[in-house]
Amino acid sequence: MTPGQEPSGTTARDTTARALAETVRRLQGAAARVQADARARAVVDLATGILAERLGLLPAEAAARLARLAREAAVPVAALAADIAGVSGQAAGAADPAPPDPVTPALAAVVDLQGVAEAVLEQTADALGAHAVALWLRLPGGVLALAAHAGLPAAEADAWSRVPPGVPTPAQRVVVGGAELWPGDPQAAGPSVGAGSARAVLPLIGAGRRRGALEVLWPAPGPGPDSGPGPAPVLGEPQRRRLHALADLCATLLADADTGASARAFVPAAVPAPAPVPPGDDTALLEGLPTPALLLEPVVRRGEITDFTLLRTNAHFRDPLGRPRDTLEGASLLEVYPAACAGGLFERLLRVHETGAPLAGERVRLVFQQGGLALPATVLLAAAPVGGRVLVGWQTETARTGEADQTALLRQAQRLARVAGFEECPADGRIRWSDGLHEIYGLAPDTDPVPLAQLARHAHPDDEPAIRRLLDTVQRRHRTASAVVRLVHRDGTHRYTRVIAEPVLDDDGRLTGVRGALHDVSAQHRTEVALGATRARLADSEQETADSERLALRLQQAILPTAPPPLGPAGLRAAVRYRPAAQHDRVGGDWYDVLLLPDKRVLLTVGDVAGHGVGAATGMVALRHALRGLAVTGAGPARMLEWANTVALREPGQITATAVCVLVDPAGGELRWARAGHLPPILVGADGAQVLPLPHGVLLGALDDARYEERTAHLPPGDVLVLYTDGLVERRDRPVEESVDQLIRAAGAPGPDLERYLDRLLDLSPADTDDDTCLIAVQSR
């Protein structure tokens, strides 16, 4: 029989007996340690009483003096207490080296904190006026213990030595995750030591956990023996920084001390502090739980928890996104579940770790996301601190509702999406089809499933090459493949179907099966065909519109001259400008004309046909040439507009337009003009500019019997006559008259260079309608 092997006759009863014997020995050892703790405590209490009686100290002061003497002598507290009390080391529990004395480090930690409390009071009394300091330590279960204090009466300190979890003291609020408190804060007025005092309470955070709180008290304002002379202190930023530094020092001492021993020093002997879970027990702990669970290790950077590492998961755990467990273990929680952490998961786990208060069965709505996949789920979440780590258990609503409901939901989704799956094993010829696959193939429900190799028999002949490539990729190259084929139904119709197949391989890479899905995409295909036809029609329409606008632009550019004819024989100078709209697809019907008549008079016309495109351009051409032809008859401007109105009424589509017609007689400088709904000319001279009066006249093409009024004026030598269309001055937010007045005042005197003057008018134009603009300027020499 090899060592460690039980004899064949060994029964379960023998095994149980040995386990019970081991348990008895372990309990006996624990009892011996408890007795040694009791003896050591008794000796320390006796020595503390002796120092208090001989030195006239309070019990807390005597305990502090005992600890200070032990540190200076570099001996254990229990050994020094035995010397002072005059008892043997055996009686004090110091002679037995094993097990180690748990009381000594506990008392040392406590007395260290007492010294810290006194130092904090010394630092804050003179500088800030504080009169008391309390250091609170959080014990397992949420109990707060008054670890050390300075400036408090002994009776009051004894009364507040333990604070149960349900008592809402300011320190308790801060330790369980609340914000730090300052004098004057309403939350700082709860029940605590130093009733009625003004107080500041700061958390003591070590390794990312809230281990306790520092409470600094000031005398209460008002009458009374313990009252201060004035209102609660107002702490500025320098004073708050000093208190933060003192709190950090206290937290550092708490982290350096043996927290387990300190907890045993404060917890009654009948309630032993829980021992941390050794790292080696992680797997046993998780696998022993009947629900999905995972173990997290906090990641601490610069004293703060910035993340959790996912150490272990148990066999019941299922990733909501379907990832294997081995890919999650050792990864960052924020990286694995970023959306869920942002939705409240990280905040809850951080609160559990910081405060030590477990989270029991909270229903949380979380989103699990990876790449483009987002899965919302309701999770029943539980968490508890375990030996500096966090044990998390969660269960999704889907898992709790049962497999039957989940299967029913999956079938409904497949039916709505017209998706069905298959799986086949070539070795035994077994083929499994999910619901709906017979309908996609167009087969009766009792028809035998069709092997993937025979897919071509049910598809359009033209799709046979695509099916052959799919089979070759899956069966020979062992890779996932897909293809869209047309399945032929019995009635001769086609169903456009996307076939997706993947190989199933064994450990040696051999093909053992094929599985996949068929998705009826007929509706999508018809939509794509209709969308393609619509796009083609839209492209044709856009091309026709572009051709039409291009033709209109070329027609306009061919008709409108870039420079006026020479007017030297008439003694005049002229300049013209045409500015097209900023949008090239908005070619309008603006036009201008300068014509030297046989009798040396000069015809000036400017007009604007309503609309854009080819129709407006052809209307412009008709009216411009009509006025040119009518001018040689010798008729005046009003008569010419009446005839132009007849032309507009007879044009196809019955165009409408505005126009102004001016006849200039250079011999005497006489101006005769008429208008058809157009803006009046502007006469600019040395004394300023004036808008010529508005003669009566409706726009061309509006009325059959329209009559137009004619006005006269004088053009002095050097003055400039300006004709324009509304694209120069029209704005949406003000009347045209204001825009005209603003423009002529901003442009100033024209000077001898008409070309530069017209450029200046275009640059200063206040218009915002994005319309064509025509300009004519004529100057008498």
Side-chain angles (χ1 to χ4, degrees), residues 40 68 105 147 452 661 722:
R68 186 178 302 113
L452 185 64
C661 184
V722 180

Side-chain angles (χ1 to χ4, degrees), residues 283 286-287 293-295 309-315 317 323-332 336-337:
T283 303
L286 290 177
E287 297 302 336
L294 38 76
L295 189 65
T309 300
L310 205 160
L311 292 181
R312 299 282 189 277
T313 60
N314 64 1
F317 178 79
R323 293 169 292 190
R325 292 171 54 193
D326 56 358
T327 64
L328 303 179
E329 294 180 350
S332 160
V336 173
Y337 301 118

Side-chain angles (χ1 to χ4, degrees), residues 398 401-417 419 435:
T398 302
T401 55
E403 292 295 332
D405 294 341
Q406 186 176 3
T407 302
L409 182 62
L410 179 60
R411 288 178 177 175
Q412 292 178 12
Q414 290 177 339
R415 177 180 57 83
L416 293 174
V419 177
D435 295 341

Side-chain angles (χ1 to χ4, degrees), residues 13-307:
R13 181 175 300 177
D14 297 332
T15 303
T16 304
R18 285 195 300 273
L20 289 175
E22 178 63 27
T23 301
V24 170
R25 285 193 296 271
R26 187 172 64 254
L27 292 177
Q28 289 174 343
R33 288 193 294 272
V34 170
Q35 292 174 359
D37 289 351
R39 290 195 301 270
R41 287 176 183 271
V43 172
V44 171
D45 290 342
L46 179 60
T48 301
I50 293 174
L51 290 178
E53 188 273 332
R54 293 181 180 179
L55 301 179
L57 300 175
L58 294 174
E61 296 173 343
R65 180 68 61 87
L66 175 64
R68 186 178 302 113
L69 292 173
R71 287 198 305 273
E72 293 174 354
V75 297
V77 174
L80 180 60
D83 292 340
I84 294 175
V87 298
S88 64
Q90 184 73 26
D96 186 7
D101 182 7
V103 179
T104 301
L107 291 179
V110 173
V111 178
D112 282 343
L113 292 180
Q114 180 62 35
V116 170
E118 295 173 358
V120 171
L121 181 59
E122 182 180 351
Q123 290 286 329
T124 56
D126 296 336
L128 304 179
H131 78 96
V133 168
L135 285 176
W136 300 94
L137 179 66
R138 186 185 187 282
L139 303 181
V143 176
L144 277 188
L146 185 59
H149 62 88
L152 293 175
E156 186 176 10
D158 290 340
W160 287 95
S161 61
R162 300 289 189 278
V163 179
V167 179
T169 65
Q172 189 74 271
R173 293 192 186 99
V174 170
V175 170
V176 297
E180 55 191 27
L181 303 176
W182 299 99
D185 193 323
Q187 296 292 330
S192 185
V193 294
S197 299
R199 70 190 72 239
V201 186
L202 285 76
L204 302 180
I205 302 175
R209 302 189 66 179
R210 298 199 177 201
R211 301 178 179 273
L214 168 66
E215 190 166 357
V216 182
L217 297 94
W218 285 265
D226 297 330
S227 301
V234 178
L235 302 180
E237 189 60 30
Q239 291 82 8
R240 295 194 179 196
R241 282 199 301 267
R242 174 177 292 185
L243 290 181
H244 279 132
L246 293 174
D248 291 341
L249 175 61
C250 295
T252 302
L253 291 177
L254 275 180
D256 293 340
D258 183 357
T259 306
S262 300
R264 288 194 296 272
F266 289 104
V267 180
V271 186
V277 178
D281 295 343
D282 293 348
T283 303
L285 173 66
L286 290 177
E287 297 302 336
L289 297 176
T291 57
L294 38 76
L295 189 65
L296 304 180
E297 176 80 30
V299 178
V300 182
R301 294 187 179 92
R302 294 185 295 275
E304 296 183 357
I305 296 179
T306 58
D307 197 354

